[in-house]
């Protein structure tokens, strides 16, 4: 059962990554406090922001342009607070000079917002796990999957970062791969008491893992509609990054109904054993929810 801190962090991170909702210094400070004090909250932040950065730029190493705007929102809100009017006058004087203003804002952002480091390959933290400024270096080669939803109107939103995908929308997949020994990806969706949702490959036309390049932010050449094979409720997207292609028939036999009851770590272990995956192969399990369709383009306060 998720802690109250993790649940609140989930709500704050979803708001932070939603361009249709506002963000201010108070929310930023609240999120920072949760990340400092709670391991589960830090895990929520890492998963969501890593997914966001993979979608935005294919790199988990540095904040996206959207994150930088969010940090500036927090800076502006902090210096504009009545209790800080004196400091604000000094800051705004600096901002009259563009280069100095950017430097001051960047410095304040590092003080105001101190999330933990991100993750490299699934399965472990990279670098110092203590809180530090956004954009800490990721030292291990990156291998991961990004997922976006696409509405009928063509608007695109991040599925993992937002925590939801809408029935009737399309899903689009992006891979980021820094490792020359990883050449293939296999992606499926699992829901309790539902048939396996095949994303990449798509049998019977495609029968093996799809080849992927050593490249950041590579879009897979297909879109899948969240329709007949899906229903409202939890959805696990499982990505298998391997050095050799996997056969769809073999994977299909492995994905038995009992797997849906396993926690993510147990599911990964079962897949590794049943598919005889190598130590260098990467199993990524992304948790989200399918919800009844609505207009994602609508802004929300």
């Amino acid at each position: 059962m998720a802690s109250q801190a993790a649940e609140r962090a989930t709500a704050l991170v979803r708001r932070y990554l939603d361009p249709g909702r506002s963000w201010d210094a108070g929310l930023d400070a609240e999120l920072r406090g949760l990340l400092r004090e709670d391991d589960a909250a830090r895990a929520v932040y890492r998963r969501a922001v890593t997914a966001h950065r993979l979608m935005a730029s294919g790199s988990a190493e540095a904040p996206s342009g959207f994150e930088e705007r969010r940090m500036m929102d927090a800076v502006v809100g902090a210096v504009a607070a009545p209790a800080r009017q004196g400091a604000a006058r000094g800051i705004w004087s600096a901002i009259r000079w563009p280069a100095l203003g950017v430097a001051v804002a960047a410095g304040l952002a590092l003080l105001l917002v101190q999330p933990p480091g991100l993750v490299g390959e699934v399965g472990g933290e990279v670098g110092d796990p203590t809180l530090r400024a956004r954009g800490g270096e990721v030292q291990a080669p990156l291998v991961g999957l990004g997922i976006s939803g696409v509405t009928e109107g063509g608007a695109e939103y991040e599925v993992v970062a937002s925590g939801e995908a809408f029935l009737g929308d399309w899903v689009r997949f992006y891979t980021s791969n820094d490792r020359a020994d990883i050449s293939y990806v296999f992606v499926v969706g699992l829901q309790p008491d539902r048939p396996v949702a095949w994303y990449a490959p798509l049998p019977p036309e495609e029968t093996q893992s799809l080849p992927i390049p050593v490249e950041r932010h590579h879009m897979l050449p297909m879109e899948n509609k969240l329709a007949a094979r899906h229903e409202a409720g939890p959805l696990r997207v499982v990505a298998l990054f391997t050095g050799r292609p996997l056969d769809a028939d073999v994977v299909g036999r492995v994905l038995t109904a009992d797997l849906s009851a396993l926690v993510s770590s147990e599911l990964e272990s079962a897949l590794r054993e049943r598919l005889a995956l190598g130590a260098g192969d990467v199993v990524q399990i992304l948790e989200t929810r399918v919800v009844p369709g609505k207009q994602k383009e609508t802004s929300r306060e």
Side-chain angles (χ1 to χ4, degrees), residues 177 179-184 214 242-244 280-281:
N177 176 27
R179 288 174 43 187
D181 60 323
I182 294 291
S183 302
Y184 299 92
V214 177
T242 58
R244 59 179 175 84
D281 294 333

Side-chain angles (χ1 to χ4, degrees), residues 5 34 61 137 223 237 256 261:
L34 290 171
E61 297 175 10
E137 291 185 3
E223 291 181 348
V237 177
T256 52

Side-chain angles (χ1 to χ4, degrees), residues 134-156:
R134 284 187 180 133
E137 291 185 3
V138 174
Q139 298 165 355
L142 181 67
V143 178
L145 184 77
I147 312 172
S148 67
V150 183
T151 68
E152 291 291 342
E156 189 167 354

Side-chain angles (χ1 to χ4, degrees), residues 180-249:
D181 60 323
I182 294 291
S183 302
Y184 299 92
V185 69
F186 201 113
V187 188
V188 296
L190 304 178
Q191 287 194 290
D193 303 317
R194 296 289 295 175
V196 174
W198 299 91
Y199 298 139
L202 190 61
E205 292 83 5
E206 300 165 336
T207 60
Q208 289 190 322
S209 303
L210 296 189
I212 57 171
V214 177
E215 180 181 313
R216 297 286 181 97
H217 204 57
H218 169 74
M219 188 174 75
L220 297 184
M222 82 285 292
E223 291 181 348
N224 304 83
K225 193 165 189 176
L226 293 176
R229 293 170 293 158
H230 301 81
E231 64 180 9
L235 170 66
R236 281 176 169 171
V237 177
V238 179
L240 307 172
F241 292 90
T242 58
R244 59 179 175 84
L246 300 176
D247 187 82
D249 288 340

Side-chain angles (χ1 to χ4, degrees), residues 2 6 20 24 31 42 46 84 98 112 148 156 166 191 209 213 230 245 257:
D24 59 34
L31 177 59
R42 286 194 287 271
R46 289 190 188 95
R84 303 179 187 178
L112 287 168
S148 67
E156 189 167 354
F166 296 90
Q191 287 194 290
S209 303
H230 301 81

Side-chain angles (χ1 to χ4, degrees), residues 70-172:
R70 284 305 207 198
M71 285 188 257
M72 183 60 73
D73 289 343
V75 171
V76 171
V79 299
R84 303 179 187 178
Q85 286 180 351
R89 284 193 292 271
I91 294 297
W92 289 117
S93 296
I95 290 176
R96 293 192 186 116
W97 300 92
L100 182 57
V102 170
V104 170
L108 280 174
L110 297 182
L111 294 174
L112 287 168
V113 193
Q114 301 179 48
L118 300 175
V119 297
E121 293 178 338
V122 174
E125 279 185 17
V126 175
D128 183 359
T130 59
L131 295 178
R132 60 176 182 267
R134 284 187 180 133
E137 291 185 3
V138 174
Q139 298 165 355
L142 181 67
V143 178
L145 184 77
I147 312 172
S148 67
V150 183
T151 68
E152 291 291 342
E156 189 167 354
Y157 59 94
E158 295 162 18
V159 168
V160 178
S162 67
E164 56 191 14
F166 296 90
L167 279 172
D169 286 353
W170 297 81
V171 286
R172 185 177 291 164

